[in-house]
Amino acid sequence: MKPVEAFQYLHEKSLPIILSFPMEEETGHIITGKGLCYVENIHGTSRVTLGRFSPYRLLVFLRQALVCHATFEIGGVTYGCLIQDITFHGSVNEKSVITASLPNDLNSFPRRFLRVEPSAKAPALIYIRTAHFGTLPFTIKDISEGGIGFISPILLDLEEKFICCITLPINGDNTILSDSVLVYKSERKDGLPSKYAKTGSRLAQGGTFYGLELFPHQEDGKKIRLYVMEREREIRRVIQQW
């Protein structure tokens, strides 16, 4: 589907678009904020007007980010694209609109679990038993019912399987055990934590971001889902109160 066709369909059917954008919740702690908007007008094949933002205060964060990611569903398929070259019209209120360039292309992907970044004040942790260093704790960078992202100074192997332990700061501390497998990694340019500086050849030369697919028990999956929903509401309150 061409981008202009997709946005025309969203306009005609008055279907929502989910906007995702980076926001600083605490100093140095970047998380993903989300909100809804709708297509108000399409200008040929080059520009689109978006409005009816909910919560409308997300416009404050869009002004800071200048680029955001849009996700929407058409015919049971989820599409994503970048929204950029944004022009703001009017002050931040319920009737504000923006214009932006229509994207050059769309990415389609299967439906995914809702994913959030934990709070810096109440971190979520994951414990993994590594072959060379025993059990190590990692701060969870993002989490969904189906997976976890974390940064490790230890080099781990894709497709390696673990039984991991997750602690979630909800209703006290909830501890969950789950089968898991490493499915993604991305090198980072961060320096190594000092305590790992001289511990062996398997250390990365910078932190590495890993994605871990989870296979929790059904009851444990409910606990993760509850945490994600509560955290999503917390982030939404931050946006509304900004």
Side-chain angles (χ1 to χ4, degrees):
M1 176 175 284
K2 296 180 180 180
V4 66
E5 295 173 344
F7 279 81
Q8 285 173 344
Y9 184 88
L10 294 171
H11 186 214
E12 292 169 1
K13 302 296 183 181
S14 193
L15 296 175
I17 296 173
I18 299 174
L19 295 182
S20 303
F21 49 90
M23 55 181 280
E24 191 175 41
E25 183 181 29
E26 304 286 343
T27 302
H29 184 62
I30 306 300
I31 62 173
T32 302
K34 298 185 183 72
L36 296 180
C37 70
Y38 294 82
V39 177
E40 299 286 11
N41 201 358
I42 298 175
H43 312 279
T45 59
S46 61
R47 303 282 289 177
V48 60
T49 297
L50 303 175
R52 287 181 281 165
F53 295 94
S54 177
Y56 73 86
R57 299 292 296 174
L58 69 86
L59 285 164
V60 174
F61 298 93
L62 292 183
R63 284 183 183 273
Q64 297 171 354
L66 296 181
V67 176
C68 61
H69 188 265
T71 307
F72 50 86
E73 186 174 306
I74 296 177
V77 179
T78 302
Y79 294 94
C81 63
L82 285 178
I83 300 295
Q84 48 194 342
D85 299 325
I86 298 174
T87 301
F88 296 85
H89 303 275
S91 59
V92 176
N93 57 53
E94 292 90 339
K95 296 183 179 180
S96 295
V97 299
I98 65 173
T99 57
S101 295
L102 280 167
N104 294 324
D105 49 41
L106 302 175
N107 297 314
S108 62
F109 43 84
R111 291 181 181 176
R112 297 181 294 184
F113 294 108
L114 179 63
R115 182 176 295 271
V116 296
E117 295 91 355
S119 166
K121 293 181 179 179
L125 300 176
I126 181 170
Y127 296 82
I128 295 177
R129 183 178 181 272
T130 65
H132 293 262
F133 299 95
T135 301
L136 295 175
F138 302 99
T139 300
I140 293 172
K141 296 301 181 182
D142 58 58
I143 181 171
S144 74
E145 190 178 339
I148 280 174
F150 64 97
I151 296 171
S152 170
I154 309 300
L155 288 176
L156 303 172
D157 298 322
L158 286 180
E159 300 185 5
E160 190 170 357
K161 297 180 179 179
F162 304 96
I163 295 178
C164 63
C165 177
I166 306 160
T167 61
L168 300 176
I170 184 172
N171 297 329
D173 276 337
N174 262 305
T175 301
I176 295 169
L177 295 177
S178 175
D179 292 324
S180 63
V181 60
L182 282 173
V183 294
Y184 173 81
K185 75 173 182 178
S186 175
E187 298 299 328
R188 292 171 58 93
K189 300 184 183 301
D190 314 44
L192 284 171
S194 58
K195 71 176 184 177
Y196 294 116
K198 298 180 180 179
T199 51
S201 61
R202 286 182 60 82
L203 290 177
Q205 295 305 307
T208 301
F209 182 88
Y210 288 97
L212 194 68
E213 185 175 1
L214 299 176
F215 304 94
H217 185 279
Q218 181 178 358
E219 293 303 313
D220 292 328
K222 292 179 182 178
K223 296 176 184 177
I224 299 174
R225 191 183 317 133
L226 176 61
Y227 169 76
V228 170
M229 292 172 62
E230 289 292 336
R231 178 62 179 148
E232 181 74 4
R233 281 194 285 266
E234 185 176 64
I235 294 172
R236 187 176 179 86
R237 285 196 295 270
V238 171
I239 297 172
Q240 291 172 324
Q241 295 169 4
W242 191 266

